[in-house]
Amino acid sequence: MSATAGKLSLGEEVYLRGLTGRLVGIYLFKGFNKIAILTYPDRICESISSAASVSYLDSYGYAENKIKIFDYDKNVKEVIKKIVEWNPDAIYLAFGGEQKMADVNNITIDVIKALKEEGYKGNILIHVRTWLATKQLSTILSNNELRDYLKSVSGIRVFTADANSRKFAFHLITISEDGKASINKYAETDITQEHADLLKQSIPPS
């Protein structure tokens, strides 16, 4: 299911994920003591997962069993079962690097269904390309059962990027009674011009 797009070399794409993962570890993961990362097993998603892990441990204390990376596969129910048994405070969905946006949408729906079935009630953290692929979660919230499930979890966070303004923003997601997702910013940080330029040239596969 891997695909390539955009103007960047693989090295540049990986470096971009290093820069982004650093901010994810500091801001998106802030306040949690035990985080599971669910990543698609491709080079780019694994890169941001690794960078976010190092950043989180460096920012909030290096110790055992604070963070763990799980690889997505087609037997998603078994993967989610292992994650829930590990009992994390939060699960970060790190999808979107080398995958087509339609595939990211389908993967995310399957993951949310499996989380619901396993009774996970912790926090869900969402990558910006997962947010975009699901049309701001609307493809999930159109299902009443999944909407009710997401309303029942402890919290949902997402980060967004504005390359032109050289800003990253981190948001809490609120779901209304009629199933609309809205974002409320809780943190913002500047990024370098280098980071912004890489973002502008990194285009997800269609």
Side-chain angles (χ1 to χ4, degrees):
M1 210 158 54
S2 284
T4 56
K7 303 175 182 179
L8 302 181
S9 68
L10 175 60
E12 289 170 325
E13 292 281 11
V14 168
Y15 179 51
L16 169 59
R17 272 44 178 217
L19 295 173
T20 299
R22 172 181 169 272
L23 301 178
V24 167
I26 295 170
Y27 295 100
L28 198 68
F29 291 1
K30 185 177 182 180
F32 300 118
N33 295 315
K34 192 174 182 181
I35 299 171
I37 299 176
L38 178 58
T39 184
Y40 197 88
D42 65 30
R43 301 163 295 183
I44 293 175
C45 291
E46 297 282 8
S47 297
I48 195 170
S49 299
S50 177
S53 299
V54 172
S55 176
Y56 169 73
L57 292 172
D58 191 51
S59 298
Y60 302 114
Y62 173 64
E64 295 180 356
N65 295 314
K66 293 185 69 173
I67 198 159
K68 190 171 183 178
I69 298 173
F70 296 82
D71 291 327
Y72 170 89
D73 66 36
K74 291 183 179 179
N75 194 355
V76 65
K77 291 183 180 180
E78 283 301 312
V79 177
I80 295 300
K81 183 177 181 181
K82 290 177 183 177
I83 292 174
V84 174
E85 287 175 349
W86 192 62
N87 195 31
D89 299 332
I91 299 172
Y92 172 44
L93 307 184
F95 305 139
E98 294 180 83
Q99 309 313 311
K100 295 180 178 179
M101 296 296 265
D103 292 330
V104 172
N105 176 61
N106 293 334
I107 288 167
T108 306
I109 291 172
D110 288 344
V111 166
I112 299 300
K113 285 179 179 177
L115 288 171
K116 174 184 175 294
E117 290 172 7
E118 284 296 321
Y120 177 74
K121 294 294 185 178
N123 294 272
I124 299 174
L125 316 178
I126 299 173
H127 188 281
V128 60
R129 286 189 175 172
T130 304
W131 173 249
L132 296 174
T134 60
K135 297 180 170 58
Q136 294 75 45
L137 299 186
S138 64
T139 60
I140 299 169
L141 298 174
S142 62
N143 179 303
N144 290 340
E145 290 187 2
L146 297 184
R147 179 191 66 200
D148 290 345
Y149 167 68
L150 288 181
K151 288 174 68 175
S152 76
V153 302
S154 298
I156 309 173
R157 295 183 183 183
V158 66
F159 73 90
T160 57
D162 185 337
N164 292 325
S165 297
R166 289 170 44 188
K167 299 281 187 184
F168 261 49
F170 300 82
H171 314 269
L172 302 174
I173 298 176
T174 303
I175 300 170
S176 65
E177 289 299 322
D178 62 352
K180 305 294 184 185
S182 59
I183 55 176
N184 302 285
K185 183 168 62 178
Y186 68 86
E188 185 177 76
T189 188
D190 294 327
I191 61 173
T192 63
Q193 187 63 55
E194 176 188 49
H195 195 171
D197 290 342
L198 290 169
L199 283 170
K200 289 176 183 179
Q201 296 178 77
S202 178
I203 302 169
S206 58

